[in-house]
Amino acid sequence: MAVDKETVRKVARLARLAVPEERLEPMTRELNGILKWVEQLQEIDTRDVPAMTSVVTMKLKMREDVVTDGGYAADLMKNAPDGEDGFFTVPKVVE
C-alpha cells in the first residue's frame, strides 16, 4: 500500500494537524517507508512464537481471593456532601 500526497493531506486534516505544503512530500516518503517496514514484518512466520505481554518474563504475585464487604461504607459516607441509604447522591445531569 502506497500513500500519496493527497492521502497525507487528508489524514493531516482529519487529525487536525497543520502540515505546511513543503512538508507533505517528505512526510509522504516517511509514511511509505513505515508501511514498507510493516509489510516486511508481515512476512515473518510467527506461528511458533508464544504470545507475550512484556519483553521481560515475570510472574505476578498471587493472593488468596477472599470476598469481603469492605466494611468502610459508613466512613466513606462521612466525606460525601450528600448521601442516601449508603449511596452517594448527585445532581441529575440528563433530562
Side-chain angles (χ1 to χ4, degrees):
M1 174 183 177
V3 175
D4 60 358
K5 229 165 112 169
E6 287 305 312
T7 305
V8 172
R9 184 179 285 119
K10 181 179 179 181
V11 171
R13 185 181 56 79
L14 290 172
R16 306 243 192 285
L17 297 174
V19 179
E21 189 67 31
E22 63 272 3
R23 281 291 300 142
L24 287 176
E25 190 61 43
M27 193 171 288
T28 301
R29 286 193 303 273
E30 290 172 21
L31 288 173
N32 280 321
I34 292 169
L35 291 174
K36 284 181 186 176
W37 185 73
V38 170
E39 287 173 3
Q40 286 179 351
L41 289 176
Q42 291 177 350
E43 296 172 3
I44 300 171
D45 181 16
T46 59
R47 279 180 277 162
D48 297 327
V49 178
M52 298 178 4
T53 57
S54 173
V55 294
V56 179
T57 304
M58 53 205 270
K59 185 162 176 72
L60 297 177
K61 296 178 183 177
M62 302 298 282
R63 63 174 168 80
E64 189 177 335
D65 192 12
V66 179
V67 178
T68 64
D69 65 352
Y72 302 109
D75 293 337
L76 291 172
M77 293 310 295
K78 288 179 187 175
N79 294 323
D82 194 16
E84 184 178 314
D85 296 326
F87 295 98
F88 295 104
T89 56
V90 295
K92 185 177 179 178
V93 294
V94 178
E95 295 186 32

Coordinates of all heavy atoms in Angstrom, one line a residue:
M1 N 0.8 -1.2 0.0 CA 0.0 0.0 0.0 C 0.9 1.2 0.0 O 1.8 1.4 0.8 CB -0.9 0.0 1.2 CG -1.7 1.2 1.4 SD -2.7 1.2 2.9 CE -3.4 2.7 2.9
A2 N 0.7 2.1 -0.9 CA 1.4 3.3 -1.0 C 0.6 4.5 -0.7 O -0.6 4.5 -0.9 CB 2.0 3.5 -2.4
V3 N 1.2 5.5 -0.1 CA 0.5 6.7 0.4 C 0.9 7.8 -0.6 O 2.1 8.0 -0.9 CB 0.8 7.1 1.8 CG1 0.2 8.4 2.2 CG2 0.4 6.0 2.7
D4 N 0.0 8.6 -1.1 CA 0.3 9.8 -1.9 C 0.1 11.1 -1.1 O -0.3 11.1 0.0 CB -0.5 9.8 -3.2 CG -2.0 9.9 -3.0 OD1 -2.4 9.9 -1.8 OD2 -2.7 9.9 -4.0
K5 N 0.5 12.2 -1.7 CA 0.4 13.5 -1.1 C -1.0 13.8 -0.7 O -1.2 14.4 0.4 CB 1.0 14.5 -2.1 CG 2.0 15.5 -1.5 CD 2.7 16.2 -2.6 CE 2.3 17.6 -2.5 NZ 3.2 18.5 -3.4
E6 N -2.0 13.5 -1.5 CA -3.4 13.8 -1.1 C -3.8 13.0 0.1 O -4.6 13.6 0.9 CB -4.3 13.5 -2.3 CG -4.1 14.5 -3.5 CD -4.4 15.9 -3.0 OE1 -5.4 16.2 -2.3 OE2 -3.5 16.8 -3.3
T7 N -3.4 11.8 0.2 CA -3.7 11.0 1.4 C -3.1 11.6 2.6 O -3.8 11.7 3.7 CB -3.3 9.5 1.2 OG1 -3.8 9.0 0.0 CG2 -3.7 8.7 2.4
V8 N -1.9 12.0 2.6 CA -1.2 12.6 3.7 C -2.0 13.9 4.1 O -2.2 14.2 5.3 CB 0.2 12.9 3.4 CG1 0.9 13.8 4.5 CG2 1.0 11.7 3.2
R9 N -2.4 14.7 3.1 CA -3.1 15.9 3.3 C -4.4 15.6 4.0 O -4.8 16.3 5.0 CB -3.3 16.7 2.0 CG -4.0 18.0 2.2 CD -4.2 18.8 0.9 NE -3.0 19.3 0.4 CZ -2.4 19.0 -0.7 NH1 -2.9 18.1 -1.5 NH2 -1.2 19.6 -1.0
K10 N -5.1 14.6 3.5 CA -6.4 14.2 4.1 C -6.3 13.7 5.6 O -7.1 14.1 6.4 CB -7.1 13.1 3.3 CG -8.5 12.7 3.8 CD -9.1 11.7 2.9 CE -10.4 11.2 3.4 NZ -11.0 10.2 2.5
V11 N -5.3 12.9 5.8 CA -5.1 12.3 7.1 C -4.7 13.5 8.1 O -5.1 13.5 9.2 CB -4.0 11.2 7.1 CG1 -3.6 10.8 8.5 CG2 -4.5 10.0 6.4
A12 N -3.9 14.4 7.6 CA -3.5 15.5 8.5 C -4.7 16.3 8.8 O -4.9 16.8 10.0 CB -2.4 16.4 7.7
R13 N -5.6 16.6 7.9 CA -6.8 17.3 8.1 C -7.7 16.6 9.1 O -8.2 17.2 10.1 CB -7.6 17.6 6.8 CG -8.8 18.5 7.0 CD -9.5 18.7 5.7 NE -10.0 17.5 5.1 CZ -11.0 16.8 5.4 NH1 -11.8 17.2 6.5 NH2 -11.4 15.7 4.8
L14 N -7.8 15.3 9.0 CA -8.7 14.5 9.9 C -8.1 14.5 11.3 O -8.8 14.5 12.3 CB -8.8 13.1 9.4 CG -9.7 12.9 8.1 CD1 -9.6 11.5 7.6 CD2 -11.1 13.3 8.4
A15 N -6.8 14.5 11.4 CA -6.1 14.5 12.7 C -5.9 15.9 13.2 O -5.4 16.1 14.3 CB -4.7 13.9 12.6
R16 N -6.5 16.9 12.5 CA -6.4 18.3 12.9 C -4.9 18.8 13.0 O -4.6 19.5 14.0 CB -7.2 18.6 14.1 CG -8.6 18.1 14.1 CD -9.6 19.3 14.2 NE -10.9 18.9 14.4 CZ -11.8 18.5 13.5 NH1 -11.4 18.2 12.3 NH2 -13.1 18.3 13.8
L17 N -4.1 18.4 12.1 CA -2.7 18.8 12.1 C -2.5 19.8 11.0 O -2.9 19.6 9.9 CB -1.8 17.6 11.9 CG -1.8 16.5 12.9 CD1 -0.9 15.3 12.5 CD2 -1.3 17.0 14.3
A18 N -1.8 20.8 11.3 CA -1.5 21.9 10.3 C -0.1 21.5 9.7 O 0.9 21.7 10.3 CB -1.4 23.2 11.0
V19 N -0.2 20.8 8.5 CA 1.1 20.4 7.9 C 1.3 21.4 6.7 O 0.5 21.5 5.8 CB 0.9 19.0 7.3 CG1 2.2 18.5 6.6 CG2 0.6 18.0 8.5
P20 N 2.4 22.1 6.7 CA 2.7 23.0 5.6 C 2.9 22.3 4.3 O 3.3 21.1 4.3 CB 4.0 23.7 6.1 CG 4.3 23.3 7.5 CD 3.4 22.1 7.8
E21 N 2.6 22.9 3.2 CA 2.7 22.3 1.9 C 4.1 21.7 1.7 O 4.2 20.6 1.1 CB 2.4 23.3 0.8 CG 2.2 22.8 -0.5 CD 1.0 21.9 -0.7 OE1 0.0 22.1 0.0 OE2 1.1 21.0 -1.5
E22 N 5.2 22.4 2.1 CA 6.5 21.9 1.9 C 6.9 20.6 2.7 O 7.9 19.9 2.4 CB 7.6 23.0 2.1 CG 7.7 23.5 3.5 CD 6.7 24.6 3.8 OE1 5.9 25.0 3.0 OE2 6.8 25.1 5.0
R23 N 6.1 20.3 3.7 CA 6.3 19.1 4.5 C 5.5 17.9 4.0 O 5.8 16.8 4.4 CB 5.9 19.3 6.0 CG 6.9 20.1 6.8 CD 8.2 19.4 7.1 NE 7.9 18.1 7.8 CZ 8.5 17.0 7.6 NH1 9.5 16.9 6.7 NH2 8.2 15.9 8.3
L24 N 4.6 18.1 3.1 CA 3.8 17.0 2.6 C 4.6 15.9 1.8 O 4.4 14.7 2.1 CB 2.7 17.5 1.7 CG 1.5 18.2 2.4 CD1 0.6 18.8 1.3 CD2 0.8 17.3 3.3
E25 N 5.5 16.3 1.0 CA 6.3 15.4 0.2 C 7.2 14.6 1.1 O 7.3 13.3 1.0 CB 7.1 16.1 -0.9 CG 7.7 15.1 -1.9 CD 6.7 14.3 -2.6 OE1 5.7 14.8 -3.0 OE2 7.0 13.1 -2.8
P26 N 8.0 15.2 2.0 CA 8.8 14.4 2.9 C 8.0 13.5 3.8 O 8.4 12.4 4.1 CB 9.6 15.5 3.8 CG 9.5 16.7 3.0 CD 8.3 16.6 2.2
M27 N 6.9 14.0 4.3 CA 6.0 13.1 5.1 C 5.5 11.9 4.3 O 5.3 10.8 4.9 CB 4.9 14.0 5.7 CG 4.2 13.2 6.9 SD 3.0 14.3 7.7 CE 4.1 15.4 8.6
T28 N 5.2 12.1 3.1 CA 4.7 11.0 2.2 C 5.8 9.9 2.1 O 5.5 8.8 2.3 CB 4.4 11.6 0.8 OG1 3.4 12.6 0.9 CG2 3.9 10.5 -0.1
R29 N 7.1 10.4 1.9 CA 8.2 9.4 1.9 C 8.3 8.7 3.2 O 8.5 7.5 3.2 CB 9.5 10.1 1.5 CG 9.5 10.5 0.0 CD 10.9 10.9 -0.4 NE 11.5 12.0 0.4 CZ 11.3 13.3 0.1 NH1 10.6 13.7 -0.9 NH2 11.8 14.2 0.9
E30 N 8.2 9.4 4.3 CA 8.4 8.8 5.6 C 7.3 7.8 5.9 O 7.6 6.6 6.3 CB 8.3 9.9 6.7 CG 9.6 10.8 6.7 CD 9.4 11.9 7.7 OE1 8.5 11.8 8.6 OE2 10.1 12.9 7.5
L31 N 6.0 8.1 5.6 CA 4.9 7.2 5.8 C 5.1 6.0 4.9 O 4.8 4.8 5.3 CB 3.6 7.9 5.6 CG 3.2 8.9 6.7 CD1 2.0 9.6 6.3 CD2 3.0 8.2 8.0
N32 N 5.5 6.1 3.7 CA 5.7 5.0 2.8 C 6.8 4.1 3.3 O 6.7 2.8 3.2 CB 6.0 5.4 1.3 CG 4.7 5.8 0.6 OD1 3.7 5.2 0.8 ND2 4.8 6.9 -0.2
G33 N 7.8 4.7 3.9 CA 8.9 3.9 4.5 C 8.4 3.0 5.7 O 8.7 1.9 5.8
I34 N 7.5 3.6 6.5 CA 7.0 2.9 7.6 C 6.1 1.8 7.1 O 6.1 0.7 7.7 CB 6.2 3.9 8.5 CG1 7.1 4.9 9.2 CG2 5.3 3.2 9.5 CD1 6.4 6.1 9.9
L35 N 5.3 2.0 6.1 CA 4.4 1.0 5.6 C 5.2 -0.2 5.0 O 4.8 -1.3 5.1 CB 3.4 1.6 4.6 CG 2.3 2.5 5.2 CD1 1.5 3.2 4.1 CD2 1.5 1.8 6.2
K36 N 6.3 0.1 4.3 CA 7.2 -0.9 3.8 C 7.7 -1.8 4.9 O 7.8 -3.0 4.8 CB 8.3 -0.3 2.9 CG 7.9 0.1 1.6 CD 9.0 0.7 0.8 CE 8.6 1.3 -0.5 NZ 9.6 1.9 -1.2
W37 N 8.1 -1.1 6.0 CA 8.6 -1.9 7.2 C 7.6 -2.8 7.7 O 7.9 -3.9 8.1 CB 9.1 -0.8 8.2 CG 9.8 -1.5 9.4 CD1 11.0 -2.1 9.4 CD2 9.3 -1.6 10.7 NE1 11.3 -2.5 10.7 CE2 10.2 -2.2 11.5 CE3 8.1 -1.2 11.3 CZ2 10.0 -2.5 12.8 CZ3 7.9 -1.4 12.6 CH2 8.9 -2.1 13.4
V38 N 6.3 -2.3 7.8 CA 5.2 -3.1 8.4 C 5.0 -4.3 7.4 O 4.7 -5.4 7.9 CB 4.0 -2.3 8.6 CG1 2.8 -3.1 8.9 CG2 4.2 -1.2 9.7
E39 N 5.1 -4.1 6.1 CA 4.9 -5.2 5.2 C 6.0 -6.2 5.4 O 5.7 -7.4 5.3 CB 4.9 -4.7 3.7 CG 3.6 -3.9 3.4 CD 3.7 -3.2 2.0 OE1 4.8 -3.4 1.3 OE2 2.8 -2.5 1.6
Q40 N 7.2 -5.8 5.7 CA 8.3 -6.8 5.9 C 8.0 -7.6 7.2 O 8.2 -8.8 7.2 CB 9.6 -6.0 6.1 CG 10.2 -5.5 4.9 CD 11.5 -4.8 5.1 OE1 11.9 -4.5 6.3 NE2 12.2 -4.4 4.1
L41 N 7.4 -7.0 8.2 CA 7.1 -7.7 9.4 C 6.0 -8.8 9.2 O 6.0 -9.8 9.8 CB 6.6 -6.7 10.5 CG 7.6 -5.8 11.1 CD1 7.0 -4.8 12.1 CD2 8.7 -6.6 11.8
Q42 N 5.1 -8.5 8.2 CA 4.0 -9.4 7.9 C 4.6 -10.7 7.3 O 3.9 -11.7 7.2 CB 3.0 -8.8 7.1 CG 2.2 -7.8 7.9 CD 1.2 -7.0 7.0 OE1 1.1 -7.2 5.8 NE2 0.3 -6.3 7.6
E43 N 5.8 -10.7 6.7 CA 6.4 -11.8 6.0 C 7.0 -12.8 7.0 O 7.2 -14.0 6.6 CB 7.5 -11.4 5.1 CG 6.9 -10.5 3.9 CD 8.1 -9.9 3.1 OE1 9.2 -10.2 3.4 OE2 7.8 -9.1 2.2
I44 N 7.1 -12.4 8.3 CA 7.7 -13.3 9.3 C 6.7 -14.3 9.8 O 5.6 -14.0 10.1 CB 8.3 -12.5 10.4 CG1 9.3 -11.5 9.9 CG2 8.9 -13.3 11.5 CD1 9.8 -10.5 10.9
D45 N 7.2 -15.6 9.9 CA 6.3 -16.7 10.4 C 6.4 -16.6 11.9 O 7.4 -16.9 12.5 CB 6.8 -18.0 9.9 CG 6.0 -19.2 10.3 OD1 4.8 -18.9 10.8 OD2 6.4 -20.3 10.2
T46 N 5.3 -16.3 12.5 CA 5.2 -16.2 14.0 C 4.3 -17.3 14.6 O 3.9 -17.2 15.8 CB 4.7 -14.8 14.4 OG1 3.4 -14.7 13.8 CG2 5.6 -13.7 13.9
R47 N 4.0 -18.4 13.9 CA 3.1 -19.4 14.4 C 3.7 -20.1 15.6 O 2.9 -20.4 16.5 CB 2.9 -20.5 13.3 CG 1.8 -20.1 12.3 CD 1.6 -21.1 11.3 NE 2.7 -20.9 10.3 CZ 3.0 -21.8 9.4 NH1 2.5 -23.0 9.4 NH2 4.0 -21.6 8.6
D48 N 5.0 -20.3 15.7 CA 5.6 -21.0 16.9 C 6.1 -20.0 18.0 O 6.8 -20.4 18.9 CB 6.7 -21.9 16.4 CG 6.2 -23.0 15.5 OD1 5.0 -23.4 15.7 OD2 6.9 -23.4 14.6
V49 N 5.8 -18.7 17.8 CA 6.2 -17.8 18.8 C 5.1 -17.5 19.8 O 4.0 -17.2 19.5 CB 6.6 -16.4 18.1 CG1 7.0 -15.4 19.2 CG2 7.7 -16.6 17.1
P50 N 5.4 -17.8 21.1 CA 4.3 -17.6 22.1 C 4.0 -16.1 22.3 O 4.8 -15.2 22.1 CB 5.0 -18.1 23.4 CG 6.4 -18.1 23.2 CD 6.7 -18.2 21.7
A51 N 2.7 -15.9 22.6 CA 2.2 -14.5 22.8 C 2.9 -13.9 24.0 O 3.1 -14.7 25.0 CB 0.7 -14.5 22.9
M52 N 3.2 -12.6 24.0 CA 3.9 -12.0 25.1 C 3.1 -10.8 25.6 O 2.4 -10.1 24.8 CB 5.3 -11.5 24.7 CG 6.2 -12.7 24.3 SD 7.8 -12.2 23.8 CE 8.0 -10.4 24.0
T53 N 3.1 -10.5 26.9 CA 2.5 -9.3 27.4 C 3.7 -8.3 27.7 O 3.4 -7.1 28.0 CB 1.6 -9.5 28.6 OG1 2.4 -10.2 29.6 CG2 0.4 -10.4 28.2
S54 N 4.9 -8.8 27.8 CA 6.0 -8.0 28.2 C 7.3 -8.6 27.6 O 7.3 -9.8 27.3 CB 6.2 -7.9 29.7 OG 7.3 -7.3 30.0
V55 N 8.3 -7.8 27.4 CA 9.6 -8.4 26.9 C 10.4 -9.1 28.0 O 11.3 -9.8 27.7 CB 10.4 -7.3 26.2 CG1 9.7 -6.8 24.9 CG2 10.8 -6.2 27.1
V56 N 9.9 -8.8 29.2 CA 10.6 -9.4 30.4 C 9.7 -10.5 31.0 O 8.5 -10.3 31.2 CB 10.9 -8.3 31.5 CG1 11.6 -8.9 32.7 CG2 11.7 -7.2 30.9
T57 N 10.3 -11.7 31.2 CA 9.5 -12.8 31.8 C 9.3 -12.5 33.2 O 10.2 -12.2 34.0 CB 10.2 -14.1 31.6 OG1 10.5 -14.3 30.2 CG2 9.4 -15.3 32.1
M58 N 8.0 -12.5 33.7 CA 7.7 -12.2 35.1 C 6.5 -13.0 35.5 O 5.7 -13.3 34.7 CB 7.5 -10.7 35.3 CG 6.5 -10.1 34.3 SD 6.7 -8.4 34.0 CE 5.8 -7.6 35.2
K59 N 6.5 -13.3 36.8 CA 5.4 -14.0 37.4 C 4.7 -13.0 38.4 O 5.4 -12.5 39.2 CB 5.9 -15.2 38.1 CG 4.8 -16.1 38.6 CD 5.3 -17.5 38.8 CE 4.2 -18.4 39.5 NZ 3.1 -18.8 38.6
L60 N 3.4 -12.9 38.3 CA 2.7 -12.0 39.1 C 2.5 -12.6 40.5 O 2.3 -13.8 40.6 CB 1.4 -11.6 38.5 CG 1.4 -10.8 37.2 CD1 0.0 -10.6 36.7 CD2 2.1 -9.5 37.4
K61 N 2.6 -11.8 41.5 CA 2.3 -12.3 42.9 C 0.9 -12.6 43.0 O 0.0 -11.8 42.6 CB 2.7 -11.2 43.9 CG 4.2 -10.9 43.9 CD 4.5 -9.8 44.9 CE 5.9 -9.4 44.9 NZ 6.3 -8.3 45.8
M62 N 0.6 -13.7 43.6 CA -0.8 -14.2 43.7 C -1.2 -14.0 45.2 O -0.4 -14.2 46.1 CB -1.0 -15.6 43.2 CG -0.5 -15.9 41.8 SD -1.5 -14.9 40.6 CE -3.0 -15.9 40.6
R63 N -2.5 -13.7 45.4 CA -3.0 -13.7 46.8 C -4.3 -14.5 46.8 O -4.9 -14.7 45.8 CB -3.2 -12.3 47.2 CG -4.3 -11.5 46.4 CD -4.6 -10.2 47.0 NE -5.3 -9.3 46.1 CZ -6.7 -9.4 46.0 NH1 -7.4 -10.3 46.6 NH2 -7.3 -8.6 45.1
E64 N -4.7 -14.9 48.0 CA -5.9 -15.6 48.1 C -7.1 -14.7 47.8 O -7.1 -13.5 48.2 CB -6.1 -16.1 49.5 CG -7.2 -17.1 49.7 CD -7.3 -17.6 51.2 OE1 -6.2 -17.6 51.8 OE2 -8.4 -18.0 51.6
D65 N -8.0 -15.2 47.0 CA -9.2 -14.4 46.6 C -10.3 -14.6 47.6 O -10.9 -15.6 47.7 CB -9.7 -14.9 45.2 CG -10.7 -14.0 44.6 OD1 -10.8 -12.8 45.1 OD2 -11.3 -14.3 43.6
V66 N -10.4 -13.6 48.5 CA -11.4 -13.6 49.6 C -12.4 -12.5 49.4 O -12.0 -11.3 49.2 CB -10.7 -13.4 50.9 CG1 -11.7 -13.4 52.1 CG2 -9.6 -14.5 51.1
V67 N -13.7 -12.8 49.4 CA -14.7 -11.8 49.2 C -15.0 -11.2 50.6 O -15.2 -11.9 51.6 CB -16.0 -12.5 48.7 CG1 -17.1 -11.5 48.6 CG2 -15.7 -13.1 47.3
T68 N -14.9 -9.9 50.6 CA -15.3 -9.1 51.9 C -16.2 -8.0 51.5 O -16.3 -7.6 50.3 CB -14.0 -8.5 52.5 OG1 -13.5 -7.6 51.6 CG2 -13.0 -9.6 52.8
D69 N -16.9 -7.5 52.5 CA -17.8 -6.3 52.2 C -17.1 -5.0 52.3 O -17.6 -4.0 52.1 CB -19.0 -6.4 53.2 CG -18.5 -6.2 54.6 OD1 -17.3 -6.1 54.9 OD2 -19.4 -6.0 55.5
G70 N -15.8 -5.1 52.7 CA -15.0 -3.8 52.8 C -15.2 -3.2 54.2 O -14.2 -2.9 54.9
G71 N -16.4 -3.1 54.6 CA -16.7 -2.5 56.0 C -16.4 -1.1 56.1 O -16.2 -0.6 57.3
Y72 N -16.3 -0.3 55.1 CA -15.9 1.1 55.2 C -17.0 2.0 54.7 O -16.8 3.2 54.5 CB -14.6 1.4 54.3 CG -13.4 0.6 54.7 CD1 -13.0 -0.4 53.9 CD2 -12.8 0.8 56.0 CE1 -11.9 -1.2 54.3 CE2 -11.7 0.0 56.3 CZ -11.3 -1.0 55.5 OH -10.2 -1.7 55.9
A73 N -18.2 1.5 54.4 CA -19.2 2.4 53.8 C -19.6 3.6 54.7 O -19.7 4.7 54.2 CB -20.5 1.5 53.6
A74 N -19.7 3.4 56.0 CA -20.0 4.5 56.9 C -18.9 5.5 56.9 O -19.2 6.7 56.9 CB -20.3 4.0 58.3
D75 N -17.7 5.1 56.9 CA -16.6 6.0 56.9 C -16.5 6.8 55.5 O -16.2 8.0 55.5 CB -15.2 5.3 57.0 CG -15.1 4.7 58.4 OD1 -15.7 5.2 59.4 OD2 -14.3 3.7 58.5
L76 N -16.8 6.2 54.4 CA -16.8 6.9 53.2 C -18.0 7.9 53.1 O -17.8 9.0 52.5 CB -17.0 5.8 52.0 CG -15.8 4.9 51.8 CD1 -16.1 3.9 50.8 CD2 -14.6 5.7 51.3
M77 N -19.1 7.5 53.6 CA -20.3 8.4 53.6 C -20.1 9.7 54.4 O -20.7 10.7 54.2 CB -21.5 7.7 54.0 CG -22.0 6.6 53.0 SD -22.0 7.1 51.3 CE -23.4 8.3 51.3
K78 N -19.1 9.6 55.4 CA -18.8 10.8 56.2 C -18.3 11.9 55.3 O -18.5 13.1 55.6 CB -17.8 10.5 57.3 CG -18.4 9.7 58.4 CD -17.3 9.4 59.4 CE -17.8 8.4 60.5 NZ -16.7 8.0 61.4
N79 N -17.6 11.6 54.2 CA -17.0 12.6 53.3 C -17.9 13.0 52.2 O -17.5 13.9 51.5 CB -15.7 12.0 52.7 CG -14.6 11.8 53.8 OD1 -14.5 12.5 54.7 ND2 -13.9 10.7 53.6
A80 N -19.0 12.4 52.1 CA -19.9 12.7 51.0 C -20.7 13.9 51.3 O -21.2 14.1 52.4 CB -20.9 11.5 50.7
P81 N -20.8 14.9 50.3 CA -21.7 16.1 50.6 C -23.1 15.7 50.8 O -23.8 16.4 51.5 CB -21.4 16.9 49.4 CG -20.8 16.0 48.3 CD -20.2 14.9 49.0
D82 N -23.6 14.6 50.1 CA -25.0 14.2 50.3 C -25.1 12.7 50.0 O -24.4 12.2 49.1 CB -25.9 15.0 49.2 CG -27.3 14.9 49.6 OD1 -27.7 14.5 50.7 OD2 -28.1 15.2 48.7
G83 N -25.8 12.0 50.8 CA -26.0 10.6 50.6 C -27.3 10.1 51.0 O -28.1 10.8 51.8
E84 N -27.7 8.9 50.5 CA -29.0 8.4 50.9 C -28.9 6.8 50.9 O -28.4 6.2 49.9 CB -30.0 8.8 49.9 CG -31.4 8.4 50.2 CD -32.4 8.9 49.1 OE1 -32.3 10.1 48.8 OE2 -33.2 8.1 48.7
D85 N -29.3 6.2 52.0 CA -29.2 4.7 52.1 C -27.9 4.2 51.8 O -27.7 3.1 51.2 CB -30.3 4.1 51.2 CG -31.7 4.5 51.6 OD1 -31.9 4.6 52.8 OD2 -32.5 4.6 50.7
G86 N -26.8 4.8 52.2 CA -25.4 4.3 52.0 C -24.9 4.6 50.6 O -23.9 4.0 50.2
F87 N -25.6 5.4 49.8 CA -25.1 5.7 48.4 C -24.9 7.2 48.3 O -25.5 8.0 48.9 CB -26.2 5.2 47.4 CG -26.4 3.8 47.3 CD1 -27.5 3.2 48.0 CD2 -25.6 2.9 46.6 CE1 -27.7 1.8 48.0 CE2 -25.8 1.6 46.6 CZ -26.8 1.0 47.2
F88 N -24.0 7.5 47.4 CA -23.7 8.9 47.0 C -24.9 9.4 46.2 O -25.4 8.7 45.3 CB -22.4 9.1 46.2 CG -21.2 8.8 47.0 CD1 -20.5 7.6 46.7 CD2 -20.7 9.6 48.0 CE1 -19.4 7.2 47.4 CE2 -19.6 9.3 48.7 CZ -18.9 8.1 48.4
T89 N -25.4 10.6 46.4 CA -26.4 11.2 45.6 C -25.7 12.4 44.8 O -24.9 13.1 45.4 CB -27.6 11.8 46.4 OG1 -27.1 12.7 47.4 CG2 -28.3 10.6 47.0
V90 N -26.1 12.5 43.6 CA -25.5 13.5 42.7 C -26.6 14.3 42.0 O -27.7 13.7 41.8 CB -24.5 12.9 41.7 CG1 -23.3 12.4 42.4 CG2 -25.2 11.9 40.8
P91 N -26.4 15.5 41.5 CA -27.4 16.2 40.8 C -27.7 15.4 39.5 O -26.9 14.8 38.8 CB -26.8 17.5 40.5 CG -25.6 17.6 41.3 CD -25.2 16.3 41.7
K92 N -29.0 15.5 39.0 CA -29.4 14.9 37.8 C -28.7 15.7 36.6 O -28.8 16.9 36.6 CB -30.9 15.0 37.7 CG -31.5 14.3 36.5 CD -33.0 14.3 36.5 CE -33.6 13.6 35.3 NZ -35.0 13.6 35.3
V93 N -28.1 15.0 35.7 CA -27.4 15.6 34.6 C -28.1 15.3 33.2 O -27.8 16.0 32.2 CB -25.9 15.2 34.5 CG1 -25.2 15.7 35.7 CG2 -25.8 13.7 34.4
V94 N -29.0 14.4 33.2 CA -29.7 14.0 32.0 C -31.2 14.2 32.2 O -31.8 13.7 33.2 CB -29.5 12.5 31.5 CG1 -30.2 12.2 30.3 CG2 -28.0 12.3 31.3
E95 N -31.8 14.9 31.3 CA -33.3 15.2 31.5 C -34.1 14.3 30.6 O -33.7 13.9 29.5 CB -33.6 16.6 31.2 CG -33.0 17.5 32.2 CD -33.4 18.9 32.1 OE1 -34.5 19.2 31.7 OE2 -32.6 19.8 32.4

